[in-house]
Amino acid sequence: MKKSILAVVILLFIITSLPIIGNTFIKNTIDERVVELKSFGLQTTKDETHATYLNTSRHFEFIIKDSKNFLNHLKQYSDKQIPSYVNAMIEGVVIGADVKYSNLPFAKAFEIEIYPINLSPQMNKKLKDDDMNFYAYVENLLNDKALMYHIEYNLLNDDFKGYIRDIQTNYTQLNGTKFILTLEKANFKGQGELLAPKELNSKIKKLHFEVSQDTQVLNIFLNEFKSSSNFESVNTYLTSVDIETIVMTLQGSNDDINIRMKKLRANASSNEQGITTQLNSKTSIKSLELHSNQVDLNIEKLNFDIALSELDKKEYLAFTQLTSQNNKSSLEVQESLLKLLSKGVVLEIADFSIAKFSKNSEKTIKGFELKSNLTLKEDKDLAKKMKRSPFMIIPDISFLSELKISKELYVELQKTSGMLSHFKGYEKEDGDDYIFVLEFIDGKASVNGRSLN
């Protein structure tokens, strides 16, 4: 009996201690992350804790004390260059973070809300000097946490999900410039580190941006945006974008323009294959309308599928790392590119096609289909030859292309393009189309088997 009572007491003690143990564990984890942030140029200016028996919340405020160090850290997670002027823009920016969690170990995910509290001193001064009312407007936005990023992060499996707070705002400046910004239902989920996730999926219901001054109006509208990304390594990834509608208009200018796209689908991938890397890109648009003072163009079913293969993995990585650095000269980039190309490369267009199109309200006609393969063979002397004359690398190039073009389009292009006159008499009929097979090997060119030399 005594043993049973003792066991119950020990069990109750363990159960009642769990929140304390959980709070200590999560607190230590957060503290470790905060210390890590200091090494990236962020300084903690406020750390306030409010705790109950089962739940804890902490409020942090960070200031970007060393913008150069902070941007260098961000560059690890992007191959895009960050302009140097961004340093001055973010130096001194204050960022807030509210963290909430259960004290029960792994009972539920972290809840984190991140938002800017104050702009950099330099940016604040510029806004005050230019338009004090606009400065007050921006300050109110920041005070209301209008630009807020909400994340729920699971420590146990690194899964996360969240959203960006809906934005509905507009403002008219003293000079009459008016802008409108709307963001609705921007959600995301993924797996891995927040700055470098292995998987990331996002959705935006609606994005609308409009800026106008006097009679000029620029309008950008996106509806039903979806993206998906999977990252295995720097050279192995797959990312895709799906947008239901895109509208871009410019009115009141010398050349008004209206672009409307429906069902844009695009994906890009990179794969390592032994000592080489392959890059792929594929885009399709169900319909594209372009209207301006000069031209009206309507396109149906546009496809573009292209790949770069046989890229030397080592030289490709060196090239991408070099192009991500702001302080590298164009000469260094050019030399790195030539080094990469000297290892050989294959460019393949699997599909470049337009099903139908019309111009200036004329009748709709059938389009074309193009497939191509270009090979640049390995040549250790490529850079030397390019310096002497680009024509010296012609023996390194082989090319095969097949074009199927509707007879209607062929006739129209002959009226506007002098280049097609070189192929007159080489046509090969295939129903309502003409087929042209262009081949270039060992410096000799042919069309449909007939020499062009």
Side-chain angles (χ1 to χ4, degrees), residues 275-288:
I275 61 173
T276 64
T277 297
Q278 178 170 322
L279 307 177
N280 298 275
S281 177
K282 186 175 183 179
T283 302
S284 66
I285 301 173
K286 184 178 180 180
S287 66
L288 169 62

Side-chain angles (χ1 to χ4, degrees), residues 355-371:
K356 297 178 181 179
F357 86 100
S358 65
K359 182 180 177 182
N360 298 332
S361 301
E362 297 172 355
K363 69 173 184 176
T364 300
I365 61 176
K366 188 179 176 183
F368 66 89
E369 298 176 20
L370 174 68
K371 297 179 181 180

Side-chain angles (χ1 to χ4, degrees), residues 409-428:
L409 178 57
Y410 184 64
V411 170
E412 289 297 320
L413 289 177
Q414 278 187 321
K415 298 175 183 177
T416 58
S417 175
M419 188 181 75
L420 286 181
S421 61
H422 297 294
F423 300 109
K424 191 167 181 62
Y426 290 84
E427 302 92 338
K428 179 180 177 181

Side-chain angles (χ1 to χ4, degrees), residues 233-255:
S233 67
V234 175
N235 285 342
T236 302
Y237 61 83
L238 171 64
T239 183
S240 63
V241 173
D242 189 327
I243 307 175
E244 190 66 22
T245 309
I246 302 175
V247 178
M248 292 178 283
T249 63
L250 177 61
Q251 298 175 329
S253 67
N254 293 328
D255 187 13

Side-chain angles (χ1 to χ4, degrees), residues 146 148-151 161-167 182-189 200-208 222 224-227:
M148 191 188 71
Y149 195 69
H150 179 94
I151 308 165
K161 64 179 181 179
Y163 59 85
I164 299 174
R165 185 177 178 181
D166 283 0
I167 299 173
T182 301
L183 178 68
E184 293 182 6
K185 295 184 179 179
N187 303 308
F188 58 88
K189 63 179 180 178
L200 179 62
N201 299 284
S202 60
K203 294 181 180 180
I204 298 175
K205 178 71 175 177
K206 176 184 176 183
L207 173 63
H208 176 221
L222 272 70
E224 299 290 352
F225 170 94
K226 298 178 184 177
S227 70

Side-chain angles (χ1 to χ4, degrees), residues 14-30 49-58 99-111 155:
I14 292 173
I15 292 173
T16 55
S17 298
L18 279 176
I20 300 172
I21 296 170
N23 178 276
T24 302
F25 171 77
I26 298 177
K27 180 182 181 301
N28 290 340
T29 302
I30 293 175
T49 302
H50 176 72
T52 63
Y53 178 64
L54 292 176
N55 298 287
T56 298
S57 63
R58 291 177 72 176
V99 183
K100 298 178 182 178
Y101 57 88
S102 169
N103 295 335
L104 295 174
F106 310 117
K108 61 179 181 179
F110 273 104
E111 287 189 23
L155 276 174

Side-chain angles (χ1 to χ4, degrees), residues 438-450:
L438 175 62
E439 192 172 14
F440 182 81
I441 298 177
D442 298 328
K444 297 178 180 179
S446 66
V447 175
N448 290 334
R450 296 171 58 187

